[in-house]
Amino acid sequence: MNSNRTPKIWYPFEHTTTQRLLLWGVLGFILHVLLSWLWDVNQDALLHFADPKPKAWWKILYNNSLNIITLTVVLYVYGRILYRKTRWIDVLVAILFSHIFLFLSLVVTLNPFMAEISGQVVDMVKNGDLEVEKLGAFSLAMMSITGLLGIFFLVVFFYYLIQGMKIAINSKKWYHGLVIVLLVFMVDLLLRIIHVYL
C-alpha cells in the first residue's frame, strides 16, 4: 500500500478508474501506431525495433496489435494460474497503460532528429572512420541524453506493468513481479523467433 503523501501518479491503478486508464492506454497505442507509421519505425518484437523502412499504416497497426494481444494472453494465463478471479480487462489495461512509456521511449530515441544522428553513426562505422570529432559534441550529448531517457522509460514501463498486474492478480509477493518481467522477455524472444510480423 502507498502512503497518503505519495503522489497518486505513482499508483494510478489504485486511484484511477479502469475506464480512464483504458482510454489513456488506447490513446497512447493510437499515437504509437501513428508516429511509427510517420517515422518509419518498425517493431519486430515486443521490445525490439527493426531497420526503418516505409510500411503501410495497417501493417504497423497489425504488428503493434500483435505485441499487445500476445502479451495480454500470456499474462492473463499467468494471472489465472495464480488467481482464479483475474479479469482479462484488468490485464489489458495494465499492458496498455504501461505501454505508454514504451511509446515515450520511441518518441525520444527514434524521432527523425535522432534517426538522422544514428544514421550518421552507422555510416561512419560502415566506412571505418568513427571519430568523436567528426560526430560533434552536440550529437554525442543528444545520443547520451536520449539513451538515458530511453532506459528510464523502459524501467517505468516495467514499474507500471508490474504494479497493474499485481493488482489484477491480487498479489503482494515480490517475486510475482520478477516472473512478470521474465515473461515479458520470454514473449519478446518468442516473437522474434516465430516472426509473424508483416
Side-chain angles (χ1 to χ4, degrees):
M1 295 299 291
N2 59 80
S3 164
N4 290 333
R5 296 181 180 180
T6 306
K8 292 181 178 180
I9 186 64
W10 293 112
Y11 297 94
F13 300 98
E14 295 180 20
H15 298 290
T16 310
T17 64
T18 298
Q19 291 81 2
R20 184 168 291 181
L21 290 172
L22 181 61
L23 177 62
W24 278 107
V26 169
L27 288 175
F29 177 79
I30 292 170
L31 285 173
H32 190 155
V33 171
L34 179 61
L35 287 185
S36 295
W37 175 58
L38 292 174
W39 294 348
D40 299 328
V41 174
N42 304 305
Q43 282 188 263
D44 61 353
L46 188 64
L47 304 173
H48 186 260
F49 295 95
D51 292 332
K53 57 184 177 181
K55 282 191 177 182
W57 67 269
W58 60 270
K59 290 184 178 181
I60 301 285
L61 176 62
Y62 166 82
N63 292 343
N64 282 273
S65 297
L66 179 66
N67 290 334
I68 297 294
I69 292 168
T70 306
L71 187 58
T72 300
V73 170
V74 170
L75 292 185
Y76 176 68
V77 170
Y78 172 63
R80 291 284 291 186
I81 291 170
L82 295 179
Y83 181 59
R84 296 288 297 172
K85 294 182 180 179
T86 298
R87 302 187 309 164
W88 73 268
I89 189 65
D90 294 331
V91 175
L92 178 62
V93 166
I95 291 169
L96 281 175
F97 183 80
S98 60
H99 194 264
I100 292 171
F101 298 92
L102 283 184
F103 163 68
L104 292 175
S105 178
L106 177 152
V107 169
V108 298
T109 59
L110 297 173
N111 62 72
F113 176 72
M114 290 310 302
E116 184 178 342
I117 293 175
S118 299
Q120 292 174 2
V121 173
V122 170
D123 290 340
M124 287 180 176
V125 170
K126 286 180 179 177
N127 297 329
D129 62 348
L130 181 60
E131 297 178 14
V132 174
E133 294 79 10
K134 288 185 179 181
L135 190 58
F138 178 74
S139 294
L140 283 172
M142 289 304 298
M143 288 180 67
S144 300
I145 292 169
T146 56
L148 289 172
L149 281 173
I151 293 170
F152 169 75
F153 285 128
L154 182 63
V155 170
V156 175
F157 159 75
F158 279 112
Y159 169 79
Y160 282 121
L161 180 62
I162 291 169
Q163 186 188 116
M165 279 300 302
K166 287 183 78 172
I167 289 174
I169 64 177
N170 195 30
S171 169
K172 292 181 174 55
K173 295 184 171 69
W174 68 268
Y175 61 84
H176 287 162
L178 178 61
V179 174
I180 290 165
V181 172
L182 292 175
L183 285 173
V184 170
F185 283 111
M186 285 175 60
V187 169
D188 180 70
L189 180 61
L190 175 66
L191 289 172
R192 288 195 206 191
I193 293 171
I194 62 176
H195 198 80
V196 288
Y197 295 92
L198 299 178

